[in-house]
Amino acid sequence: MQRSLSFEIFRYTAIALFLALSLIPTAWMLSMAFKPIAEWQSSGVDLTWWPNNPTLDNFRFIFGHSSSDLIVALDRTAGRPILASLLSASFGTAIAMTAGTAAAYGLSRFGFGGNLPLALIQLRLFPPMAVMIPVMIMWAFLGLIDTWWGLALIYGIVTLPFAFWLMKTFFDDMPREIEDAALVEGCSRWRVFLRVTLPMMRPALASSALFVFILNWSDYLIALLLTTRDWVTIPVYMASLSSSMTGQLYGAKAALGLIAAVPPVIMGIAIQKQLVRGLTFGALKE
């Protein structure tokens, strides 16, 4: 009994320590976002964990409002990059999940597809730059450079392997007897898929969609190569927040980082119940 209690204490202490270490970057970003320039430009012993004079100037600055402390003018505000990230990541996720779910269901239930699984995973085996060079050429020919729909299309293609393999695992774990019963009752295969299979796969769809969305939302390389000015995303815009006079605008970057964290967090909270079920889908079998 004593040994069991000591083990529980050690386990929860280790979890608390790991959680505290994991939250340090987030806490530092939160603190930096509300610091005035005089504090986040400090060095050495002058640095403090929490702002002495909290301010919203960093948030105002990235949305185009001038600051008396920041003697620098932005050539573009954060509004358009936020919109670009929302559109490209959302539609890219929709493309990947639609195609990946259909392909995963077909392969799981009917077994056809040949080398499809290997072909899809090969999209992730090549170095990103080796893939992006021909993509840039094709996108320039099609007029998709610096457009959110061009970015959404490539996001859907790049994250398709993740959506496919995740959903295939979930479909393989789902009992086929339920679908067979619906077929016996006279339902068509298409109706079984829409009315029986997909409703049962909501947790799997939610967890897979969140994973794919986070991949698209946090992308930097693809957006850097396929956007120039009008539709740059948050990561690309964040990298440009610097000044020859003040150096890196850490306060503005931290403020934009907090804003960038909001959509994935909201999405995770909205599908929390489905997410927990999706992460444990198929874990218990008799």
Side-chain angles (χ1 to χ4, degrees), residues 18 22 34 48 53 55 64 67 75 90 109 113 118 135 144 148 152 161 217 231 247 262 278:
F18 178 77
S22 302
F34 294 97
T48 57
N53 301 294
T55 179
S67 172
D75 59 345
S90 299
R109 290 296 182 263
L118 180 61
V135 168
L144 297 177
W148 70 263
W217 181 259
W231 291 101
V262 171

Side-chain angles (χ1 to χ4, degrees), residues 102-185:
Y105 182 77
L107 192 64
S108 176
R109 290 296 182 263
F110 306 111
F112 59 78
N115 295 324
L116 176 63
L118 180 61
L120 287 176
I121 203 63
Q122 282 179 343
L123 290 173
R124 307 299 303 182
L125 296 180
F126 292 101
M129 285 304 301
V131 176
M132 288 309 301
I133 291 175
V135 168
M136 291 176 62
I137 297 174
M138 288 188 293
W139 258 233
F141 177 77
L142 296 173
L144 297 177
I145 296 292
D146 203 23
T147 61
W148 70 263
W149 52 89
L151 205 55
L153 181 58
I154 192 62
Y155 280 167
I157 296 172
V158 169
T159 55
L160 175 59
F162 294 104
F164 169 79
W165 281 103
L166 285 171
M167 292 306 301
K168 184 179 182 302
T169 302
F170 291 128
F171 281 127
D172 289 342
D173 289 335
M174 179 182 174
R176 301 190 181 190
E177 290 77 7
I178 301 175
E179 295 177 327
D180 293 338
L183 290 172
V184 170
E185 291 295 328

Side-chain angles (χ1 to χ4, degrees), residues 5 10 22 54 57 74 84 100 116 124 184 202 219 225 247-248 265:
L5 179 60
F10 172 77
S22 302
D57 285 348
L74 292 175
L116 176 63
R124 307 299 303 182
V184 170
R202 278 198 299 264
D219 167 72
L225 297 176
Q248 295 294 326
V265 171

Side-chain angles (χ1 to χ4, degrees), residues 251-270:
K253 288 186 176 183
L256 185 57
L258 283 182
I259 296 174
V262 171
V265 171
I266 292 178
M267 185 176 177
I269 293 174

Side-chain angles (χ1 to χ4, degrees), residues 190-227:
W190 181 248
R191 188 172 183 182
V192 168
F193 177 69
L194 293 178
R195 298 293 182 88
V196 178
T197 307
L198 286 185
M200 293 184 62
M201 297 296 292
R202 278 198 299 264
L205 289 168
S207 57
S208 300
L210 179 60
F211 178 73
V212 171
F213 178 82
I214 291 175
L215 289 177
N216 293 331
W217 181 259
S218 59
D219 167 72
Y220 174 75
L221 177 62
I222 296 176
L224 177 66
L225 297 176
L226 295 184
T227 58

